[in-house]
C-alpha cells in the first residue's frame, strides 16, 4: 500500500517520473520493516539514474545506510502489517539505528 498523503503531495509529484517510479518499486521490494538490500538492482532494472536515488534521499523519502541498505522513511504510514503476518527485518543493525516518530523513520 502507498498512502495518498505521501504520494499525492506536491513535493512528491514534482519529482521526475523516474524518481517516483523508483520509489514505488523500492516500496514493493522492501521487507515488513521497510528495508531492502537491492536498491541498485531495482534502479538498474527500471532504468532509473543515480540522480533519482539522490533526489529520493535529499527529499526525505529514503534513508541510505553506509552498508547499502535502504529504508523507506514513511513505511509505517504506507503499511500496517498485522502481528501474525509480520516478519522482522534481517537487517538488524540498520533497523536498530532507525527511530520511529509519528510513523516516520529518522536515523539515530
Amino acid at each position: 500500500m502507498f498512502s495518498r498523503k505521501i504520494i499525492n503531495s506536491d513535493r512528491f509529484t514534482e519529482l521526475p517520473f523516474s524518481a517516483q517510479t523508483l520509489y514505488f518499486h523500492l516500496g514493493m521490494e522492501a521487507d515488513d520493516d521497510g528495508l531492502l538490500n537491492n536498491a541498485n538492482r531495482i534502479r538498474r532494472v527500471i532504468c532509473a539514474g543515480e540522480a533519482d536515488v539522490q533526489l529520493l534521499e535529499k527529499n526525505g523519502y529514503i534513508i541510505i545506510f553506509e552498508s547499502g541498505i535502504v529504508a523507506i522513511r514513511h513505511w509505517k504510514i504506507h503499511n500496517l502489517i498485522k502481528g501474525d503476518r509480520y516478519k522482522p527485518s534481517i537487517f538488524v543493525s540498520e533497523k536498530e539505528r532507525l527511530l520511529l516518530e509519528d510513523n516516520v523513520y529518522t536515523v539515530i
Side-chain angles (χ1 to χ4, degrees):
M1 298 289 296
F2 290 95
S3 170
R4 290 176 187 258
K5 175 180 169 184
I6 304 299
I7 64 168
N8 282 345
S9 69
D10 286 343
R11 186 175 186 176
F12 185 81
T13 58
E14 289 172 358
L15 291 171
F17 288 133
S18 54
Q20 292 179 39
T21 302
L22 178 59
Y23 184 73
F24 289 126
H25 280 271
L26 294 174
M28 294 300 295
E29 293 289 327
D31 66 18
D32 288 354
D33 288 311
L35 288 90
L36 65 153
N37 69 345
N38 59 347
N40 282 327
R41 182 189 66 77
I42 294 166
R43 180 185 59 78
R44 288 190 302 271
V45 166
I46 68 164
C47 299
E50 181 61 35
D52 295 313
V53 175
Q54 294 169 358
L55 276 173
L56 290 176
E57 182 178 35
K58 176 184 167 193
N59 285 285
Y61 293 102
I62 62 173
I63 297 167
I64 303 172
F65 290 97
E66 303 82 34
S67 63
I69 302 300
V70 171
I72 309 297
R73 289 196 69 226
H74 303 98
W75 183 257
K76 298 290 184 176
I77 293 173
H78 293 310
N79 296 284
L80 290 176
I81 300 171
K82 292 182 180 183
D84 64 331
R85 295 182 181 206
Y86 170 74
K87 293 171 71 175
S89 181
I90 62 170
F91 310 112
V92 177
S93 62
E94 288 84 2
K95 181 146 188 306
E96 288 174 347
R97 293 185 52 209
L98 293 174
L99 174 66
L100 185 64
E101 289 184 304
D102 296 325
N103 287 324
V104 177
Y105 284 134
T106 55
V107 178
I108 52 173

